[in-house]
Amino acid sequence: MDVVFLGTGAMKPTPRRFPSSLMLRHKGEIIMFDAGEGIQVRVSQSGFSPMKVNKIFITHFHGDHFYGLPGMIFTMSQAERTEELVIYGPEESESFVHRILSLGYGRITFPIHVEELKPGSVVQGDGYSVTAFETDHGPPGLGYVFREDDSFNVDVEKMKKFGFKPDPKFKLLKQGKTVELGGHLLKPEEWLIPAPGDSLAYTGDTRYSKAVVRAVRGVTVLVHEATHLSEDSKDFREHSSAKEAARAAKEAEVGYLFLTHISPRYKDATPLLEEAREVFPRTYLPKDLDRVSIKKGEVRFLK
Amino acid sequence: MDVVFLGTGAMKPTPRRFPSSLMLRHKGEIIMFDAGEGIQVRVSQSGFSPMKVNKIFITHFHGDHFYGLPGMIFTMSQAERTEELVIYGPEESESFVHRILSLGYGRITFPIHVEELKPGSVVQGDGYSVTAFETDHGPPGLGYVFREDDSFNVDVEKMKKFGFKPDPKFKLLKQGKTVELGGHLLKPEEWLIPAPGDSLAYTGDTRYSKAVVRAVRGVTVLVHEATHLSEDSKDFREHSSAKEAARAAKEAEVGYLFLTHISPRYKDATPLLEEAREVFPRTYLPKDLDRVSIKKGEVRFLK
């Protein structure tokens, strides 16, 4: 999967960091997590068409996580979209989306379906699932774990050892079918090895939380809010410091940590990265529009 | 007065042009006209504090003219604003602002007063007035003429001719008081000359309209929407072409025309400027954050 960090800021859009939003592409499907004000600007800069977004997961209904929705919907309608859009979110989502849709005189050209989720709810997609988890912020809120389905690969090494060469029938084998090769019957359970899917957790806003640590255990990438520096904790009572995000990453034994939801207070956010890396070295601090590929447990920044 | 063109685009925010918004500063007071999505970005870039804005005039409730309001209000509340904000707009404004205020979980720290205006309504300010006028668009909409009060200056030439030198008492004279100077009693009606105030009209969205021409007659600066090129008129039925904006400027005998609400279709909007200048040479095409001083009937671009 690829991920674009559309908005890595908090509270309000600034020229440097737009508020929260992340776009994930998996096998041609595009999924958004949160949609802060003005995020259309970043969507267009990312090169992705908003028309391709079919699922939007909202973590909670604070403005900096969803004020971009009315504009996205307005723009999709200007382009005469007809395909359904599904908006997932915590309790009350139905009511908030209703308010968004009655905000102005714009007409809406496509159906919008809202699904309210609870901690533990699972949304099944094509080759992946999204599981909601409980966060600790203020208003009702959810984080999400996007998880690719596990798959199976042909054990090429074993095949070699037994003298089998790569063959188009491997595809059938991967699909779980027994195939005939050079007079031998090959059963999938004997020739396949599991390839675990990658996973990404997106917390939205949360204080450091044991429940979050449990929910994100072992993910490839944890995108954790890190609004502020430890030393400024008294000014941000409902959020995590970079150090607390790193603590969560360490305790949950994730692959990589990406810090987001950086307060506009920090013109240069390097000190946040530094305090996190002291606790969890595999930490990154993406800026808006940074793009990352996540594959086989590894991350790679794309140009 | 000074004017900042915060957003000169239409439909949606793009990196180049944010949607409609204009900020006007008059004697320390800051007034906004429209507030498109993401406009906070431009406000912060303009160097003005959103906390100083006490009056916002909305032309109509299409998203690209007011989706920036929820975020502005959220940000003002984050900064613990306590001063009242007045929002002026056409019929139904009360209801739309109510929907904006109940959009999310954010708390609001200051009173918001909504005043619904009709064509011809006048809002009296300190040293100026704002008059609403009818536009021709689609949903209920208003344009606005901001007009500085006329004032009086001491007739310095006449003073010289009679041998009077500049004196601190001139200030009292300007205030309409009779003053004694070198043994002479000087009456205001004999020594003052009128100094007409400058004026700016902001149309919001409108087709070319005779009613608009009547309402903006003789203003120093007309900020007229110019969504598209004449040749593309078939695609924009509720808007003006640059040529039609120029026609309105010419017929209304205004001082200067500024084109705004440029469709994202035009990466380079120079052809819009060119077609307008053919009809009305004193036309400008501001970009976001351009700043203009309007004084004694003249405009000057500020750095």
Side-chain angles (χ1 to χ4, degrees), chain B residues 19-34:
Chain B
S20 297
S21 184
L22 181 148
M23 213 176 222
L24 186 154
R25 184 167 55 172
H26 181 261
K27 292 186 180 169
E29 191 174 352
I30 293 177
I31 298 172
M32 269 182 89
F33 295 89
D34 283 340

Side-chain angles (χ1 to χ4, degrees), chain B residues 28-263:
Chain B
E29 191 174 352
I30 293 177
I31 298 172
M32 269 182 89
F33 295 89
D34 283 340
E37 182 182 353
I39 209 63
Q40 296 189 74
V41 174
R42 294 299 193 219
V43 173
S44 74
Q45 287 173 311
S46 78
F48 288 118
S49 163
M51 303 298 273
K52 296 256 171 80
V53 178
N54 291 328
K55 294 189 176 82
I56 302 181
F57 291 83
I58 300 293
T59 57
H60 66 296
F61 287 89
H62 271 156
D64 54 338
H65 294 256
F66 81 100
Y67 280 172
L69 266 186
M72 292 268 298
I73 292 168
F74 184 70
T75 298
M76 289 171 178
S77 292
Q78 289 278 325
E80 302 291 341
R81 176 183 176 124
T82 55
E83 209 178 341
E84 183 183 68
L85 175 71
V86 188
I87 299 175
Y88 301 91
E91 55 182 283
E92 299 293 328
S93 291
E94 184 91 39
S95 153
F96 282 119
V97 172
H98 177 76
R99 291 177 224 185
I100 287 169
L101 299 184
S102 62
L103 202 52
Y105 282 108
R107 97 213 133 96
I108 293 159
T109 59
F110 58 97
I112 295 177
H113 174 66
V114 181
E115 235 176 82
E116 293 185 4
L117 304 177
K118 291 186 192 331
S121 296
V122 178
V123 175
Q124 282 293 349
D126 180 17
Y128 67 87
S129 64
V130 179
T131 308
F133 62 86
E134 194 182 351
T135 53
D136 176 14
H137 180 45
L142 295 172
Y144 300 102
V145 179
F146 176 94
R147 212 177 288 276
E148 294 174 338
D149 292 348
D150 291 341
S151 63
F152 291 89
N153 288 329
V154 174
D155 189 340
V156 181
E157 291 306 311
K158 187 176 170 186
M159 285 283 188
K160 252 192 214 159
K161 219 158 65 186
F162 283 77
F164 294 115
K165 285 182 188 153
D167 191 282
K169 287 184 183 163
F170 281 15
K171 203 176 164 188
L172 294 171
L173 192 64
K174 275 183 74 171
Q175 288 166 6
K177 288 175 185 139
T178 298
V179 299
E180 184 273 327
L181 216 61
H184 297 270
L185 278 185
L186 308 186
K187 291 183 188 167
E189 58 269 30
E190 288 165 3
W191 297 92
L192 293 180
I193 48 174
D198 286 303
S199 49
L200 174 139
Y202 175 77
T203 63
D205 289 1
T206 187
R207 298 182 188 89
Y208 165 84
S209 149
K210 287 279 178 210
V212 170
V213 169
R214 275 193 301 277
V216 307
R217 183 163 302 288
V219 296
T220 318
V221 166
L222 170 61
V223 183
H224 199 293
E225 77 122 297
T227 307
H228 57 90
L229 276 174
S230 276
E231 63 189 45
D232 298 328
S233 289
K234 64 180 187 317
D235 302 335
F236 299 92
R237 298 191 178 280
E238 298 180 324
H239 295 282
S240 297
S241 67
K243 195 173 178 178
E244 287 167 325
R247 181 182 163 200
K250 187 182 178 183
E251 291 176 1
E253 299 178 301
V254 306
Y256 298 89
L257 169 65
F258 283 75
L259 305 178
T260 190
H261 201 263
I262 311 299
S263 164

Side-chain angles (χ1 to χ4, degrees), chain A residues 32 59 76 90 120 137 148 161 204 212 226 228 256 290:
Chain A
M32 268 181 89
T59 57
M76 289 171 177
H137 180 44
E148 295 175 339
K161 221 159 63 186
V212 170
H228 56 90
Y256 297 90
D290 272 356

Side-chain angles (χ1 to χ4, degrees), chain A residues 77-127:
Chain A
S77 291
Q78 289 279 326
E80 303 290 341
R81 176 185 176 122
T82 54
E83 208 178 341
E84 182 182 69
L85 174 71
V86 188
I87 298 175
Y88 300 91
E91 54 183 285
E92 298 295 325
S93 291
E94 184 91 41
S95 154
F96 282 119
V97 172
H98 177 75
R99 291 178 223 185
I100 287 168
L101 300 184
S102 62
L103 201 52
Y105 283 108
R107 97 212 133 94
I108 293 158
T109 60
F110 57 98
I112 294 177
H113 174 65
V114 181
E115 236 177 82
E116 293 184 5
L117 304 177
K118 291 186 192 332
S121 296
V122 178
V123 175
Q124 282 293 350
D126 180 18

